[in-house]
Amino acid sequence: FQAVLKNKYWFICLIVWIMCTFYLTISGTNLSYYCQYLMGNVEYMSILTTAEKLATIILTAVAVPLLLRRTGKRNMMLIGSCVVAAGHALAFIAPLNLTLAVAAAVLRGSGIALCFAVLFAMIADCVEYGQWKTSLRTEGIIFCAATVGQKFGQGVASAIVGGLLNGAGYDGTLAVQSPAAEGMITNIYLFTPILCFGIIAVFMLFYKLDVEMPGIMRDL
């Protein structure tokens, strides 16, 4: 456990994993409210979710293997985070326009494909770094702690959404929500992807393990 606490790159990967989980949990929870109360049709949720997931699946299968050879893991994570944030910015142009919402979903899914394609490989690299730094190889606790981060992210994200909506006066028994509740639902939808993946992009600026790995592997 002490060896893991000395692994700075594991901490960075943990933050990345928590932010990804934050995004998936918050957007998955809030999107149905946004489609129902703001866009006026809860069925839009399936359209937006399908657009995002298809983009993720297709890009992961087709483009990621080619891009990874050119960019490396850290740069792919950074590019993916920027694609999510920049792509989702389309939603600000016309937040209730379904066409723009689908386009934003496709771009989000494309960026997410780049991020998730390398996340677990980056965690695996943390094992090598940890052994190099402490002489202890801790695959089990490093990967286990990463999944703890996932559970932590899910729990906290759910609590955040519930707390924000309750604080804004959301009432699930009403067919039409108050302006404050609608404003909160809109803000969660618009800002969550940019906030979560913006944080990931910032942390990637401090991730240098891709450059250090050849020397670390020689030493090991």
Side-chain angles (χ1 to χ4, degrees):
F1 184 69
Q2 289 177 343
V4 172
L5 293 182
K6 295 176 182 178
N7 193 323
K8 61 182 179 181
Y9 292 120
W10 175 79
F11 277 107
I12 292 176
C13 289
L14 180 64
I15 295 297
V16 171
W17 191 223
I18 290 174
M19 288 298 103
C20 288
T21 304
F22 263 42
Y23 165 73
L24 293 174
T25 303
I26 292 176
S27 63
T29 302
N30 186 71
L31 184 59
S32 62
Y33 301 142
Y34 186 78
C35 292
Q36 179 177 353
Y37 297 113
L38 277 300
M39 300 186 78
N41 189 341
V42 72
E43 298 299 325
Y44 288 168
M45 179 181 178
S46 63
I47 297 174
L48 297 178
T49 302
T50 300
E52 182 174 315
K53 300 304 181 187
L54 279 178
T56 300
I57 293 169
I58 293 171
L59 194 67
T60 300
V62 177
V64 164
L66 298 175
L67 291 173
L68 184 57
R69 298 191 191 102
R70 297 174 177 270
T71 63
K73 292 185 283 290
R74 176 261 194 186
N75 289 339
M76 181 171 284
M77 179 69 75
L78 181 59
I79 292 169
S81 301
C82 294
V83 169
V84 173
H88 184 72
L90 287 176
F92 283 83
I93 298 174
L96 302 182
N97 184 284
L98 180 60
T99 301
L100 281 177
V102 170
V106 170
L107 289 171
R108 286 197 308 271
S110 300
I112 289 168
L114 302 182
C115 293
F116 275 90
V118 296
L119 176 56
F120 287 101
M122 293 172 71
I123 295 173
D125 286 347
C126 293
V127 175
E128 310 295 346
Y129 173 79
Q131 181 181 2
W132 175 79
K133 184 173 179 64
T134 66
S135 299
L136 295 174
R137 191 169 182 85
T138 54
E139 298 104 321
I141 191 170
I142 281 179
F143 276 94
C144 181
T147 60
V148 169
Q150 177 189 13
K151 300 301 182 184
F152 173 82
Q154 288 174 338
V156 172
S158 298
I160 288 174
V161 172
L164 290 175
L165 292 179
N166 287 335
Y170 171 81
D171 186 345
T173 64
L174 299 177
V176 178
Q177 297 298 320
S178 67
E182 289 186 352
M184 181 58 68
I185 292 170
T186 300
N187 287 334
I188 293 173
Y189 169 76
L190 291 177
F191 291 105
T192 294
I194 293 175
L195 176 63
C196 291
F197 286 91
I199 290 173
I200 292 174
V202 170
F203 272 90
M204 282 299 99
L205 298 178
F206 300 95
Y207 186 91
K208 310 295 184 182
L209 189 52
D210 280 7
V211 177
E212 298 171 3
M213 275 300 288
I216 288 173
M217 296 308 295
R218 284 194 298 269
D219 289 347
L220 291 177

